[in-house]
Amino acid sequence: MGDPKGFLKIKRQVSGYRPVEERINDYSEVEIRLPDDERRAQAARCMDCGVPFCHWACPVSNVMPEWQDRLYRGDWAGAWAVLEDCNPFPEFTGRVCPALCEASCVLGATDEPVTIRQNELAVIEKAFEMGLVIPRPPRKRNGKKVAIVGAGPSGLSAAYFLNRGGFSVTLYEGDRKLGGYLRYGIPDFKLDKSFIDRRVDLLRAEGVEFRTNARVGSARYGFGTLGSEAELIDPKELEASYDLVLLTIGAREPRDMKAPGRELAGVVQALDYLSLQNRTLAGEAGEGVDPITAFGKRVLVIGGGDTGADCVGTANRQGAMRVTQIEVLSRPPEHRPPEEPWPLWPKVLKTSSSHLEGGERLWSVNTKAFIGRGGKVEAVQAGKVDWSVVNGRPVMTEVPGSDFEIGADLVLLAMGFTHVVQDGAVAAFGLETDERGNIRTRGSFHTSNPKVWAAGDSRSGASLVVRAIADGRAAAEAIIKTL
């Protein structure tokens, strides 16, 4: 414990964001970084408590007190070494993780928690600056070959650990570039894609083989529009050529809305919208692809989660006339509710950098119909709802006479995902799905096909990037033990 009284003397200080008037005009990352001495002071707030609940809450089992202490002492190399033991990609989680650890920080029980996520990001970026993060290929190979299908966070994580375990790993990705949701779902102003490329270059230098534009089956692999240049991979060929096939294809079936007028032009799935924007910035949109732009439009985002917030930020950058975000659930409390005591994750109001850039947020609003003219959406008919609990279950009731219209030229459906896409690889390998529509796994990661395993969102449903990384690591550990 670097400073036994650090948590008493030093207040929580977050990094903050670039000025709104500056960041709203570009797609560069909005979050800034504190100077090294101020970051070390924030690490001094770690209490080195007897039972570190931050470690308990973290899906990758990060041992925060150890590397926080090294950070406080200025031992950046030591901090990075401890951090890397648990988390293969802290440059990703340090940017986009909701920081489950901070909600469970012991200091946070009576005060503001340690800035764990931002401290983590500072450590990994300093490690890169110091030249510590270099390729470290295995000294020898064990003769076993594993094919991984899907290059999102779970697939990259599994490849990282399997390769270091001496396995020959080939990662197949149906899209043009690697990263999955990290690349095509998260806007550049939250995660600059150069950091994905930097990590992929390291994995390639360590011996991982990547094959892009390689689809197993006919699944909808990419968000948005893909070209026709993709190579179709025969699943039987994978089964015959590798000791094991690991599917990490995510849960990409979007939740839709069956309301009158859904077919109108201008009603778009959020990830199609975000993906196309990311592809456009990267020069990948391709010829003949119709742009989805918010310029000069009244934008309505349906869904109050992180994806919805990303749509708000993107629409404002594109020059939307007005942005409104609605959520059918009631407005969350601003502070931890009694029914979600520390160290549990509290469902509280989240205000992202995008919300600070402009727009209106409405809660307890139910979408009833899309209204249009000439085949294009012009408005959404909505109504207020009340929520109550009946027999332990939430029940929604419409408020009589509360119907109203929201003018909208572009409606973005940001309501999450239901399950893995069930055609393509799932059908090609003949895999069973569970009652939720995801790949059914037995024991740990075994599917109904003895040669095929599954990890990440494809078996658990859509979740957090950090959970996908953790599941990819766990799958790699199980494969190492089995093979």
Side-chain angles (χ1 to χ4, degrees), residues 140-154:
K140 62 179 181 179
R141 298 289 176 179
N142 59 23
K144 300 291 186 179
K145 298 195 301 180
V146 175
I148 300 176
V149 181
S154 185

Side-chain angles (χ1 to χ4, degrees), residues 152-163:
S154 185
L156 291 174
S157 176
Y160 174 98
F161 288 102
L162 285 171
N163 181 68

Side-chain angles (χ1 to χ4, degrees), residues 189-341:
F189 57 80
K190 288 177 62 177
L191 174 62
D192 189 290
K193 303 310 179 283
S194 64
F195 298 115
I196 302 175
D197 296 333
R198 182 178 65 180
R199 179 58 70 174
V200 168
D201 288 344
L202 278 167
L203 292 172
R204 185 179 285 111
E206 291 179 344
V208 177
E209 180 182 350
F210 295 102
R211 291 181 61 177
T212 55
N213 288 319
R215 304 193 207 179
V216 179
S218 58
R220 301 185 298 281
Y221 267 79
F223 299 119
T225 304
L226 281 174
S228 58
E229 72 278 12
E231 173 190 6
L232 293 180
I233 305 297
D234 184 356
K236 298 300 181 184
E237 177 185 335
L238 290 184
E239 290 186 62
S241 303
Y242 293 90
D243 294 284
L244 189 143
V245 179
L246 177 65
L247 296 186
T248 55
I249 55 178
R252 300 186 176 184
E253 192 67 51
R255 181 172 285 107
D256 213 333
M257 179 174 290
K258 297 180 180 179
R262 168 64 181 88
E263 74 284 354
L264 291 169
V267 182
V268 180
Q269 285 289 349
L271 262 297
D272 288 336
Y273 170 70
L274 295 173
S275 170
L276 186 55
Q277 176 59 40
N278 284 350
R279 293 179 192 279
T280 300
L281 288 174
E284 292 183 50
E287 296 181 5
V289 177
D290 294 330
I292 305 174
T293 179
F295 180 76
K297 296 179 180 179
R298 302 165 298 169
V299 177
L300 176 64
V301 181
I302 302 178
D306 290 338
T307 301
D310 292 344
C311 289
V312 171
T314 301
N316 278 323
R317 282 163 176 74
Q318 289 182 343
M321 179 189 301
R322 186 189 71 209
V323 182
T324 306
Q325 183 180 18
I326 63 175
E327 169 59 56
V328 69
L329 298 176
S330 57
R331 188 179 191 272
E334 294 188 11
H335 304 286
R336 184 187 293 273
E339 61 272 19
E340 294 169 349

Side-chain angles (χ1 to χ4, degrees), residues 312-381:
V312 171
T314 301
N316 278 323
R317 282 163 176 74
Q318 289 182 343
M321 179 189 301
R322 186 189 71 209
V323 182
T324 306
Q325 183 180 18
I326 63 175
E327 169 59 56
V328 69
L329 298 176
S330 57
R331 188 179 191 272
E334 294 188 11
H335 304 286
R336 184 187 293 273
E339 61 272 19
E340 294 169 349
W342 175 89
L344 301 180
W345 173 257
K347 299 179 182 67
V348 296
L349 179 65
K350 294 176 63 178
T351 301
S352 74
S353 62
S354 295
H355 295 130
L356 299 175
E357 295 164 358
E360 183 181 14
R361 304 170 75 183
L362 303 174
W363 285 269
S364 299
V365 174
N366 183 38
T367 303
K368 305 179 79 170
F370 301 98
I371 303 169
R373 180 183 301 173
K376 297 182 179 180
V377 68
E378 287 189 340
V380 167
Q381 181 183 356

Side-chain angles (χ1 to χ4, degrees), residues 431-450:
L431 306 182
E432 294 179 7
T433 55
D434 60 22
E435 59 278 0
R436 297 175 57 201
N438 297 304
I439 298 174
R440 185 185 299 279
T441 53
R442 295 174 171 81
S444 54
F445 303 93
H446 304 261
T447 72
S448 54
N449 183 328

Side-chain angles (χ1 to χ4, degrees), residues 90-142:
E91 67 271 33
F92 302 155
T93 55
R95 288 178 165 86
V96 301
C97 186
L100 307 178
C101 52
E102 293 187 23
S104 297
C105 174
V106 172
L107 179 58
T110 56
D111 196 353
E112 292 187 292
V114 177
T115 54
I116 301 173
R117 178 185 65 80
Q118 294 177 353
N119 291 359
E120 176 180 274
L121 180 59
V123 169
I124 184 59
E125 289 304 326
K126 179 63 73 170
F128 272 106
E129 290 174 14
M130 296 172 65
L132 300 174
V133 190
I134 60 175
R136 287 175 290 170
R139 294 182 180 180
K140 62 179 181 179
R141 298 289 176 179
N142 59 23

